[in-house]
Amino acid sequence: MTKPYYEIKKTITNEYYYNLKTSEGEIILYGEVFKSLEACKQQIIFIKQYAYDYDYYYSKLTKNNKHYFYLCLNKDTLLGKSNIYNTEEEKELGIASVMLCATVATIKVFSEEEE
């Protein structure tokens, strides 16, 4: 069985983003776009440091009452965004999954040739 991992990819504008994936390959946290690979990796280091603490998760609702969350250092510093969930219970399971996977996940950098 593989471990959870952060998948880092390059955009067509030569910027980088990450997705946190479970050992089954399901994306559970989406990152923003960064100008450099090092900045993207630094964001992952922050996630690994803070993801275990529920106080860094901010729950949100869409206009049609779907649930999602942000993982943030503070209200102004976004670390990642979740999927959209139908129920609050599913969202809470999503948070638990990020808490479990984020700190043990490895980092994999994918080149365009590997896609």
Side-chain angles (χ1 to χ4, degrees):
M1 181 178 206
T2 61
K3 288 178 68 171
Y5 60 97
Y6 294 91
E7 174 184 71
I8 298 177
K9 290 188 173 182
K10 188 188 268 191
T11 68
I12 59 171
T13 58
N14 292 320
E15 296 176 311
Y16 295 87
Y17 68 96
Y18 79 87
N19 293 317
L20 174 58
K21 291 189 168 187
T22 64
S23 55
E24 293 81 24
E26 176 189 358
I27 298 173
I28 56 173
L29 195 69
Y30 297 88
E32 295 187 298
V33 176
F34 300 90
K35 294 196 182 296
S36 72
L37 178 59
E38 289 308 312
C40 190
K41 286 181 177 179
Q42 183 60 50
Q43 188 83 343
I44 291 169
I45 291 169
F46 286 135
I47 293 167
K48 285 179 168 268
Q49 290 174 334
Y50 295 99
Y52 70 91
D53 191 336
Y54 191 80
D55 290 340
Y56 291 98
Y57 292 86
Y58 295 90
S59 296
K60 302 285 186 177
L61 279 174
T62 65
K63 290 180 182 177
N64 58 349
N65 289 324
K66 303 283 184 172
H67 301 264
Y68 66 102
F69 62 86
Y70 291 130
L71 174 59
C72 301
L73 283 178
N74 54 49
K75 295 271 185 189
D76 298 325
T77 309
L78 176 69
L79 296 177
K81 182 180 177 184
S82 75
N83 292 316
I84 303 294
Y85 300 97
N86 290 320
T87 66
E88 185 170 356
E89 292 79 20
E90 289 175 349
K91 178 206 60 156
E92 290 298 321
L93 287 172
I95 290 172
S97 184
V98 171
M99 292 173 100
L100 287 171
C101 293
T103 57
V104 299
T106 58
I107 298 173
K108 296 181 180 181
V109 180
F110 290 84
S111 67
E112 293 170 6
E113 295 81 38
E114 295 173 298
E115 294 181 21

